[in-house]
Amino acid sequence: MGNTGLIIGVGIMIFSLAFIFLFILFIPNKVTKEKLIKIIGEENIEKIKQAKDEDEIKEIIRSLPKKNKNKLKTLLESQDIRDVLKALHEHILH
């Protein structure tokens, strides 16, 4: 196997990895109750259920550790807290 074969092998590998990456990107990411509970945590879910208004819920979400906030942003594919509130009302507080 000479240089040509090596170049062709690397080219095929790059193409296949790019195809796998695109496939992973286009898999739909569904928000479920279990995923929200796992990211936010049981204690915080109970606090959210007992909250009197949306401002308290926002404070609970903002007080999450940075790692959990990043996971929540990734799950919802948004950085807007209104999307978090919408998902909480839809899956947890219904």
Side-chain angles (χ1 to χ4, degrees):
M1 179 182 225
N3 292 339
T4 307
L6 188 62
I7 291 172
I8 290 172
V10 169
I12 291 171
M13 186 175 65
I14 290 172
F15 176 75
S16 64
L17 289 175
F19 183 73
I20 291 169
F21 178 71
L22 286 175
F23 180 73
I24 290 172
L25 280 179
F26 291 122
I27 293 175
N29 191 10
K30 296 184 180 178
V31 179
T32 63
K33 182 178 181 177
E34 292 78 24
K35 288 182 181 179
L36 283 173
I37 291 173
K38 182 178 177 184
I39 292 172
I40 296 173
E42 288 288 337
E43 291 178 7
N44 290 326
I45 293 294
E46 291 303 318
K47 289 179 187 175
I48 288 171
K49 287 181 180 178
Q50 295 171 0
K52 296 175 185 167
D53 59 354
E54 284 192 4
D55 291 332
E56 286 185 42
I57 296 174
K58 287 179 185 179
E59 288 302 316
I60 294 168
I61 298 299
R62 289 182 179 136
S63 69
L64 290 174
K66 187 175 183 179
K67 179 179 151 185
N68 289 9
K69 284 192 276 188
N70 286 337
K71 286 181 180 181
L72 196 57
K73 290 175 185 179
T74 303
L75 175 66
L76 298 173
E77 297 175 350
S78 172
Q79 294 189 11
D80 195 3
I81 197 159
R82 288 176 286 191
D83 293 332
V84 175
L85 293 173
K86 182 180 174 186
L88 284 173
H89 284 294
E90 187 175 318
H91 296 286
I92 305 288
L93 302 174
H94 48 53

